[in-house]
Amino acid sequence: MDTDSRRALSELIDMLREADERWISPEWNLHTDDDAVDAHRALMHYLQWGLVGLFERDPSAPRFQRFVTPSQKLLGDNPDTVYFEAPVSAGHAYRVRGETKGATYVSITVESSAGWGSMDNQVLCVINDTTLDVDADGRFELLLGGEPRQRNWLALPPQEGAIICRHYFEDVTHAATDPNRVPAMHIEVIDGTPPPRSSDASVSAGIRRVAALVRELTVDRPPMIDGEPRSWVSLVPNEFPPPGMPGDLGLAATDAAYALAPFVVGPDEALVIRGRWPRCRYANVSLWNRHLQSLDYANRSISLNRAQMVADADGGFTAVISHTDPGTPNWLDTEGRPFGIAFWRFMLPEGDIDTPQAELVPLADLPTRL
Protein backbone atom coordinates (compact mmCIF):
# COMPACT_ATOMS: atom_id res chain seq x y z
CA MET A 1 0.00 0.00 0.00
CA ASP A 2 2.03 2.89 -1.34
CA THR A 3 -0.09 5.84 -0.19
CA ASP A 4 0.87 9.47 0.25
CA SER A 5 -0.45 9.25 3.81
CA ARG A 6 2.18 6.59 4.55
CA ARG A 7 4.89 8.88 3.18
CA ALA A 8 3.52 11.78 5.23
CA LEU A 9 3.56 9.67 8.40
CA SER A 10 7.18 8.74 7.72
CA GLU A 11 7.96 12.45 7.36
CA LEU A 12 6.30 13.18 10.72
CA ILE A 13 8.33 10.44 12.40
CA ASP A 14 11.50 11.86 10.84
CA MET A 15 10.49 15.32 12.06
CA LEU A 16 10.07 14.08 15.63
CA ARG A 17 13.44 12.35 15.41
CA GLU A 18 15.08 15.55 14.14
CA ALA A 19 13.51 17.56 16.96
CA ASP A 20 14.82 15.03 19.48
CA GLU A 21 18.33 14.95 18.04
CA ARG A 22 18.82 18.62 17.12
CA TRP A 23 16.38 20.79 19.05
CA ILE A 24 16.85 18.96 22.35
CA SER A 25 20.60 19.50 22.34
CA PRO A 26 23.29 22.10 23.10
CA GLU A 27 22.57 23.60 19.66
CA TRP A 28 19.45 25.11 21.29
CA ASN A 29 21.18 25.79 24.62
CA LEU A 30 19.77 22.64 26.24
CA HIS A 31 22.49 20.91 28.26
CA THR A 32 21.07 19.06 31.26
CA ASP A 33 18.75 16.12 31.87
CA ASP A 34 16.18 18.56 33.26
CA ASP A 35 16.44 20.58 30.03
CA ALA A 36 15.73 17.45 28.00
CA VAL A 37 12.74 16.47 30.16
CA ASP A 38 11.18 19.93 29.80
CA ALA A 39 11.78 19.92 26.04
CA HIS A 40 10.31 16.45 25.55
CA ARG A 41 7.22 17.53 27.50
CA ALA A 42 6.90 20.66 25.34
CA LEU A 43 7.33 18.53 22.23
CA MET A 44 4.47 16.27 23.32
CA HIS A 45 2.25 19.31 23.93
CA TYR A 46 3.03 20.61 20.42
CA LEU A 47 2.22 17.20 18.97
CA GLN A 48 -0.97 17.00 21.04
CA TRP A 49 -2.24 20.32 19.70
CA GLY A 50 -1.22 19.36 16.18
CA LEU A 51 -3.27 16.17 16.32
CA VAL A 52 -6.29 17.83 17.95
CA GLY A 53 -6.31 21.17 16.18
CA LEU A 54 -4.50 20.74 12.87
CA PHE A 55 -4.81 17.17 11.63
CA GLU A 56 -8.44 17.49 10.49
CA ARG A 57 -8.31 21.26 10.10
CA ASP A 58 -10.73 22.39 7.40
CA PRO A 59 -11.96 25.98 6.88
CA SER A 60 -14.96 24.58 5.00
CA ALA A 61 -16.09 22.78 8.18
CA PRO A 62 -14.43 24.57 11.13
CA ARG A 63 -14.76 23.69 14.80
CA PHE A 64 -13.62 25.75 17.76
CA GLN A 65 -10.93 24.02 19.81
CA ARG A 66 -9.33 25.05 23.11
CA PHE A 67 -5.72 25.17 22.04
CA VAL A 68 -4.27 25.62 25.54
CA THR A 69 -5.45 23.93 28.74
CA PRO A 70 -3.79 22.95 32.03
CA SER A 71 -2.39 19.87 30.22
CA GLN A 72 -1.76 21.37 26.76
CA LYS A 73 0.44 24.45 26.90
CA LEU A 74 2.15 26.42 24.18
CA LEU A 75 3.02 29.93 23.04
CA GLY A 76 2.61 31.80 26.30
CA ASP A 77 -0.70 30.60 27.72
CA ASN A 78 -2.44 32.44 30.55
CA PRO A 79 -4.07 30.66 33.53
CA ASP A 80 -6.88 33.26 33.65
CA THR A 81 -7.87 32.93 30.01
CA VAL A 82 -9.96 30.44 28.04
CA TYR A 83 -8.75 30.40 24.42
CA PHE A 84 -10.56 29.10 21.35
CA GLU A 85 -9.26 28.83 17.78
CA ALA A 86 -10.69 27.75 14.43
CA PRO A 87 -9.57 27.90 10.76
CA VAL A 88 -11.19 30.35 8.33
CA SER A 89 -10.63 31.32 4.71
CA ALA A 90 -11.75 34.01 2.29
CA GLY A 91 -13.64 31.43 0.23
CA HIS A 92 -16.39 31.25 2.85
CA ALA A 93 -18.47 33.40 5.17
CA TYR A 94 -19.01 32.35 8.77
CA ARG A 95 -21.36 32.86 11.68
CA VAL A 96 -19.94 32.72 15.22
CA ARG A 97 -22.28 32.28 18.17
CA GLY A 98 -20.82 32.62 21.63
CA GLU A 99 -21.18 33.94 25.15
CA THR A 100 -19.06 36.11 27.43
CA LYS A 101 -19.71 33.77 30.40
CA GLY A 102 -19.13 36.66 32.80
CA ALA A 103 -15.57 37.24 31.59
CA THR A 104 -13.80 40.42 32.64
CA TYR A 105 -12.73 40.97 29.05
CA VAL A 106 -13.38 39.28 25.69
CA SER A 107 -11.22 39.77 22.61
CA ILE A 108 -11.60 38.15 19.17
CA THR A 109 -8.95 38.42 16.46
CA VAL A 110 -8.58 37.24 12.88
CA GLU A 111 -5.06 36.66 11.65
CA SER A 112 -3.23 35.55 8.54
CA SER A 113 -1.64 32.13 8.53
CA ALA A 114 1.93 31.80 7.34
CA GLY A 115 1.86 28.69 9.51
CA TRP A 116 0.06 27.82 12.72
CA GLY A 117 2.19 29.02 15.61
CA SER A 118 4.30 31.22 13.36
CA MET A 119 5.31 34.61 14.70
CA ASP A 120 5.24 35.71 11.04
CA ASN A 121 1.46 35.61 11.19
CA GLN A 122 -0.23 39.00 11.32
CA VAL A 123 -3.29 40.05 13.27
CA LEU A 124 -5.53 41.59 10.62
CA CYS A 125 -8.53 42.75 12.64
CA VAL A 126 -9.83 42.66 16.18
CA ILE A 127 -13.09 43.19 18.01
CA ASN A 128 -13.54 43.24 21.78
CA ASP A 129 -16.45 43.55 24.14
CA THR A 130 -16.34 47.35 24.00
CA THR A 131 -17.58 47.23 20.38
CA LEU A 132 -19.24 43.80 20.27
CA ASP A 133 -23.03 43.79 20.65
CA VAL A 134 -23.85 41.44 23.54
CA ASP A 135 -27.36 40.71 24.84
CA ALA A 136 -28.51 40.80 28.46
CA ASP A 137 -27.57 37.13 28.91
CA GLY A 138 -24.03 37.67 27.64
CA ARG A 139 -24.63 36.04 24.25
CA PHE A 140 -23.45 37.41 20.92
CA GLU A 141 -23.39 36.65 17.22
CA LEU A 142 -20.47 37.66 15.00
CA LEU A 143 -20.17 37.39 11.21
CA LEU A 144 -16.88 36.81 9.37
CA GLY A 145 -16.37 37.63 5.71
CA GLY A 146 -19.06 38.21 3.14
CA GLU A 147 -20.72 41.59 2.80
CA PRO A 148 -19.17 44.18 5.18
CA ARG A 149 -21.38 45.26 8.08
CA GLN A 150 -21.24 48.12 10.54
CA ARG A 151 -21.49 45.98 13.69
CA ASN A 152 -20.40 42.52 14.82
CA TRP A 153 -18.42 41.79 11.65
CA LEU A 154 -14.78 41.01 10.86
CA ALA A 155 -13.02 40.73 7.52
CA LEU A 156 -11.17 37.58 6.51
CA PRO A 157 -7.56 37.20 5.32
CA PRO A 158 -6.97 36.91 1.55
CA GLN A 159 -6.20 33.22 1.93
CA GLU A 160 -6.45 30.85 4.89
CA GLY A 161 -6.21 32.18 8.44
CA ALA A 162 -7.60 31.71 11.91
CA ILE A 163 -10.06 33.22 14.35
CA ILE A 164 -8.88 33.30 17.97
CA CYS A 165 -11.24 34.03 20.86
CA ARG A 166 -9.91 35.00 24.29
CA HIS A 167 -12.04 35.17 27.44
CA TYR A 168 -10.15 36.75 30.36
CA PHE A 169 -11.38 36.23 33.93
CA GLU A 170 -9.94 38.18 36.84
CA ASP A 171 -10.95 36.00 39.79
CA VAL A 172 -9.25 34.49 42.82
CA THR A 173 -9.21 31.11 41.05
CA HIS A 174 -7.82 30.48 37.57
CA ALA A 175 -10.49 30.21 34.89
CA ALA A 176 -8.48 27.75 32.80
CA THR A 177 -8.90 25.12 35.55
CA ASP A 178 -12.65 25.64 36.02
CA PRO A 179 -15.01 23.83 33.59
CA ASN A 180 -17.83 26.15 34.67
CA ARG A 181 -15.91 29.10 33.20
CA VAL A 182 -15.60 27.61 29.71
CA PRO A 183 -17.95 29.52 27.39
CA ALA A 184 -20.03 27.87 24.67
CA MET A 185 -18.53 28.85 21.30
CA HIS A 186 -19.77 27.70 17.90
CA ILE A 187 -18.69 28.54 14.34
CA GLU A 188 -20.44 27.51 11.13
CA VAL A 189 -20.10 28.18 7.43
CA ILE A 190 -23.03 30.20 6.11
CA ASP A 191 -24.77 28.26 3.34
CA GLY A 192 -21.98 25.69 3.39
CA THR A 193 -22.08 22.12 2.12
CA PRO A 194 -20.64 19.04 3.83
CA PRO A 195 -16.97 18.46 2.98
CA PRO A 196 -16.02 15.28 1.09
CA ARG A 197 -15.05 12.20 3.06
CA SER A 198 -11.42 11.70 4.01
CA SER A 199 -9.05 10.78 1.23
CA ASP A 200 -5.40 9.96 0.79
CA ALA A 201 -4.82 13.60 -0.08
CA SER A 202 -6.67 15.03 2.93
CA VAL A 203 -5.12 12.62 5.44
CA SER A 204 -1.59 13.17 4.14
CA ALA A 205 -2.16 16.95 4.17
CA GLY A 206 -3.32 16.73 7.79
CA ILE A 207 -0.26 14.74 8.85
CA ARG A 208 1.99 17.27 7.12
CA ARG A 209 0.27 20.12 8.96
CA VAL A 210 1.10 18.40 12.23
CA ALA A 211 4.74 17.96 11.16
CA ALA A 212 4.93 21.59 10.02
CA LEU A 213 3.71 22.78 13.42
CA VAL A 214 6.31 20.70 15.25
CA ARG A 215 9.00 22.00 12.92
CA GLU A 216 7.88 25.63 13.32
CA LEU A 217 8.03 25.43 17.11
CA THR A 218 11.33 23.51 17.31
CA VAL A 219 14.10 23.38 14.71
CA ASP A 220 12.75 26.25 12.59
CA ARG A 221 12.68 28.59 15.59
CA PRO A 222 16.17 30.02 16.19
CA PRO A 223 17.78 29.23 19.55
CA MET A 224 18.33 32.93 20.24
CA ILE A 225 16.42 36.07 19.28
CA ASP A 226 17.39 37.03 15.75
CA GLY A 227 18.02 40.79 15.60
CA GLU A 228 16.71 43.37 18.03
CA PRO A 229 13.99 42.10 20.37
CA ARG A 230 10.75 44.00 20.68
CA SER A 231 10.83 46.91 23.09
CA TRP A 232 8.81 45.03 25.71
CA VAL A 233 11.18 42.02 25.73
CA SER A 234 14.20 42.11 28.04
CA LEU A 235 17.23 39.85 27.54
CA VAL A 236 18.68 40.90 30.89
CA PRO A 237 17.77 38.54 33.75
CA ASN A 238 15.70 40.05 36.58
CA GLU A 239 15.23 43.38 34.78
CA PHE A 240 11.84 44.26 33.31
CA PRO A 241 11.49 46.50 30.25
CA PRO A 242 8.84 49.21 29.93
CA PRO A 243 5.55 47.55 28.92
CA GLY A 244 4.70 47.98 25.24
CA MET A 245 2.08 47.12 22.63
CA PRO A 246 2.66 44.04 20.41
CA GLY A 247 1.34 45.60 17.20
CA ASP A 248 0.28 42.99 14.66
CA LEU A 249 2.47 40.21 16.07
CA GLY A 250 0.91 36.84 15.37
CA LEU A 251 -0.98 35.18 18.24
CA ALA A 252 -0.90 38.41 20.28
CA ALA A 253 -3.81 40.53 21.46
CA THR A 254 -3.44 43.90 19.75
CA ASP A 255 -5.31 45.72 22.52
CA ALA A 256 -2.84 44.69 25.23
CA ALA A 257 0.48 45.85 26.61
CA TYR A 258 3.14 43.28 27.51
CA ALA A 259 6.44 43.11 29.38
CA LEU A 260 8.72 40.05 29.51
CA ALA A 261 12.00 39.28 31.23
CA PRO A 262 13.92 36.14 32.20
CA PHE A 263 14.36 35.46 35.90
CA VAL A 264 17.39 33.74 37.43
CA VAL A 265 16.96 32.87 41.11
CA GLY A 266 19.07 30.58 43.28
CA PRO A 267 17.69 28.29 46.00
CA ASP A 268 18.75 30.76 48.73
CA GLU A 269 17.59 33.88 46.89
CA ALA A 270 14.38 35.78 46.26
CA LEU A 271 13.48 38.19 43.49
CA VAL A 272 11.47 41.04 45.01
CA ILE A 273 9.23 42.85 42.51
CA ARG A 274 7.56 46.16 43.22
CA GLY A 275 5.00 47.75 40.98
CA ARG A 276 1.65 49.42 40.60
CA TRP A 277 -1.25 48.23 38.49
CA PRO A 278 -2.34 50.64 35.76
CA ARG A 279 -5.91 51.48 34.87
CA CYS A 280 -6.88 48.63 32.56
CA ARG A 281 -9.53 45.97 32.03
CA TYR A 282 -7.36 43.05 33.18
CA ALA A 283 -3.79 42.55 34.41
CA ASN A 284 -1.60 39.73 35.67
CA VAL A 285 1.92 38.35 35.89
CA SER A 286 2.73 34.70 35.13
CA LEU A 287 5.80 32.47 35.18
CA TRP A 288 6.76 30.38 32.14
CA ASN A 289 9.49 27.93 31.31
CA ARG A 290 11.86 28.59 28.40
CA HIS A 291 9.38 26.99 25.98
CA LEU A 292 6.74 29.65 26.75
CA GLN A 293 4.64 27.20 28.74
CA SER A 294 3.04 28.41 31.96
CA LEU A 295 4.18 26.60 35.08
CA ASP A 296 1.76 24.41 37.05
CA TYR A 297 -1.04 26.85 37.89
CA ALA A 298 -3.44 24.01 38.74
CA ASN A 299 -1.40 23.14 41.85
CA ARG A 300 0.99 26.02 42.51
CA SER A 301 1.03 29.80 42.85
CA ILE A 302 2.72 30.72 39.57
CA SER A 303 0.41 33.52 38.40
CA LEU A 304 -1.20 36.52 40.09
CA ASN A 305 -3.90 38.83 38.82
CA ARG A 306 -5.27 41.89 40.61
CA ALA A 307 -7.94 39.87 42.43
CA GLN A 308 -5.26 37.52 43.78
CA MET A 309 -2.62 40.13 44.60
CA VAL A 310 -2.48 41.63 48.11
CA ALA A 311 -1.90 45.38 47.83
CA ASP A 312 0.65 47.35 49.81
CA ALA A 313 -0.46 50.15 52.12
CA ASP A 314 0.13 52.73 49.36
CA GLY A 315 -1.91 50.81 46.80
CA GLY A 316 1.06 49.31 44.98
CA PHE A 317 2.19 45.71 45.32
CA THR A 318 5.22 43.67 46.28
CA ALA A 319 5.60 40.16 44.82
CA VAL A 320 8.31 37.58 45.48
CA ILE A 321 9.71 34.95 43.10
CA SER A 322 11.47 32.15 44.97
CA HIS A 323 11.82 28.38 45.13
CA THR A 324 10.17 28.00 48.53
CA ASP A 325 7.25 29.79 50.15
CA PRO A 326 8.70 32.78 52.02
CA GLY A 327 5.55 33.16 54.10
CA THR A 328 4.76 36.54 52.60
CA PRO A 329 1.85 37.57 50.36
CA ASN A 330 2.11 37.46 46.57
CA TRP A 331 4.50 34.53 46.25
CA LEU A 332 5.32 33.25 42.76
CA ASP A 333 6.57 29.67 42.91
CA THR A 334 9.47 28.78 40.56
CA GLU A 335 8.84 25.02 41.01
CA GLY A 336 12.51 24.90 42.02
CA ARG A 337 13.62 26.12 38.58
CA PRO A 338 16.75 28.32 38.57
CA PHE A 339 15.64 29.95 35.31
CA GLY A 340 12.33 30.95 33.73
CA ILE A 341 10.37 33.83 32.26
CA ALA A 342 8.10 36.36 33.97
CA PHE A 343 5.42 37.81 31.70
CA TRP A 344 3.08 40.76 32.37
CA ARG A 345 -0.23 41.41 30.58
CA PHE A 346 -2.29 44.61 30.73
CA MET A 347 -5.51 44.51 28.68
CA LEU A 348 -6.90 47.83 27.38
CA PRO A 349 -4.49 49.92 29.47
CA GLU A 350 -5.15 53.60 29.97
CA GLY A 351 -2.29 56.09 30.33
CA ASP A 352 1.28 55.27 31.26
CA ILE A 353 2.21 51.92 32.79
CA ASP A 354 4.86 51.87 35.48
CA THR A 355 7.71 49.46 34.77
CA PRO A 356 7.91 46.79 37.52
CA GLN A 357 11.17 47.02 39.45
CA ALA A 358 12.98 43.86 40.60
CA GLU A 359 15.75 43.26 43.15
CA LEU A 360 17.52 39.96 43.84
CA VAL A 361 18.11 39.52 47.59
CA PRO A 362 19.24 36.71 49.91
CA LEU A 363 16.17 34.72 51.02
CA ALA A 364 17.26 35.10 54.65
CA ASP A 365 17.19 38.91 54.29
CA LEU A 366 13.73 38.99 52.75
CA PRO A 367 11.85 40.15 55.89
CA THR A 368 14.02 43.26 56.09
CA ARG A 369 13.54 44.05 52.37
CA LEU A 370 9.74 44.06 52.40
Side-chain angles (χ1 to χ4, degrees):
M1 293 178 288
D2 183 22
T3 62
D4 194 34
S5 60
R6 171 160 283 168
R7 289 188 290 273
L9 180 60
S10 179
E11 293 166 13
L12 173 60
I13 294 169
D14 289 343
M15 176 65 254
L16 293 172
R17 184 177 295 109
E18 182 181 1
D20 178 43
E21 294 174 354
R22 285 191 57 214
W23 181 63
I24 306 174
S25 77
E27 185 179 356
W28 264 260
N29 301 315
L30 303 179
H31 299 275
T32 69
D33 289 350
D34 282 348
D35 290 342
V37 169
D38 272 354
H40 282 125
R41 178 172 178 261
L43 181 63
M44 293 299 99
H45 284 214
Y46 302 158
L47 182 60
Q48 180 183 6
W49 166 246
L51 294 172
V52 170
L54 274 69
F55 173 58
E56 294 200 340
R57 187 179 186 83
D58 186 351
S60 72
R63 296 187 301 272
F64 275 123
Q65 301 279 3
R66 285 185 68 183
F67 66 93
V68 288
T69 68
S71 58
Q72 179 180 283
K73 303 183 180 189
L74 62 160
L75 298 170
D77 61 298
N78 181 11
D80 295 327
T81 307
V82 178
Y83 300 87
F84 286 95
E85 191 268 356
V88 293
S89 75
H92 304 281
Y94 303 88
R95 179 181 292 108
V96 172
R97 292 188 175 95
E99 58 180 347
T100 61
K101 201 70 171 183
T104 304
Y105 179 61
V106 177
S107 174
I108 301 173
T109 58
V110 171
E111 63 177 48
S112 65
S113 185
W116 205 97
S118 173
M119 295 304 179
D120 292 330
N121 291 356
Q122 288 187 318
V123 176
L124 302 177
C125 48
V126 60
I127 190 170
N128 59 48
D129 58 39
T130 65
T131 52
L132 184 66
D133 294 331
V134 180
D135 71 17
D137 295 320
R139 298 187 180 92
F140 60 85
E141 182 175 296
L142 176 68
L143 298 179
L144 310 178
E147 190 70 23
R149 299 168 184 259
Q150 292 294 321
R151 305 287 299 179
N152 284 32
W153 178 83
L154 290 174
L156 291 173
Q159 298 177 343
E160 186 171 333
I163 175 173
I164 298 178
C165 306
R166 303 169 174 86
H167 289 66
Y168 295 83
F169 297 83
E170 200 162 29
D171 299 327
V172 295
T173 58
H174 295 306
T177 65
D178 184 356
N180 294 319
R181 287 298 199 186
V182 178
M185 296 293 298
H186 178 73
I187 182 171
E188 62 180 341
V189 178
I190 299 173
D191 298 328
T193 58
R197 70 181 181 89
S198 298
S199 65
D200 187 29
S202 66
V203 171
S204 59
I207 295 172
R208 289 191 173 104
R209 283 193 295 271
V210 176
L213 171 75
V214 173
R215 176 174 289 280
E216 165 65 31
L217 297 180
T218 58
V219 297
D220 277 359
R221 186 152 294 186
M224 298 293 288
I225 289 178
D226 186 13
E228 285 295 317
R230 292 177 180 260
S231 63
W232 44 271
V233 174
S234 170
L235 301 183
V236 181
N238 304 335
E239 184 176 312
F240 294 106
M245 308 296 281
D248 62 357
L249 177 69
L251 298 170
T254 60
D255 38 19
Y258 299 142
L260 176 155
F263 67 82
V264 176
V265 179
D268 298 321
E269 296 176 318
L271 187 66
V272 179
I273 305 170
R274 293 181 172 86
R276 185 174 297 275
W277 297 116
R279 288 179 57 86
C280 60
R281 183 69 71 84
Y282 165 89
N284 85 327
V285 57
S286 293
L287 302 187
W288 299 342
N289 63 21
R290 71 170 73 218
H291 305 295
L292 309 187
Q293 295 177 295
S294 64
L295 304 189
D296 181 12
Y297 57 81
N299 300 292
R300 296 172 179 264
S301 174
I302 65 87
S303 179
L304 294 169
N305 60 43
R306 291 177 298 182
Q308 296 165 330
M309 189 83 81
V310 177
D312 295 337
D314 65 355
F317 62 81
T318 303
V320 176
I321 299 178
S322 62
H323 298 331
T324 56
D325 187 349
T328 60
N330 307 332
W331 174 45
L332 290 166
D333 183 354
T334 67
E335 299 182 338
R337 299 169 181 272
F339 165 83
I341 295 170
F343 186 78
W344 301 81
R345 287 178 175 88
F346 310 98
M347 311 308 299
L348 284 186
E350 299 178 19
D352 295 334
I353 306 174
D354 293 343
T355 302
Q357 302 297 313
E359 179 187 14
L360 190 66
V361 303
L363 189 61
D365 295 348
L366 186 61
T368 65
R369 301 298 185 98
L370 298 179

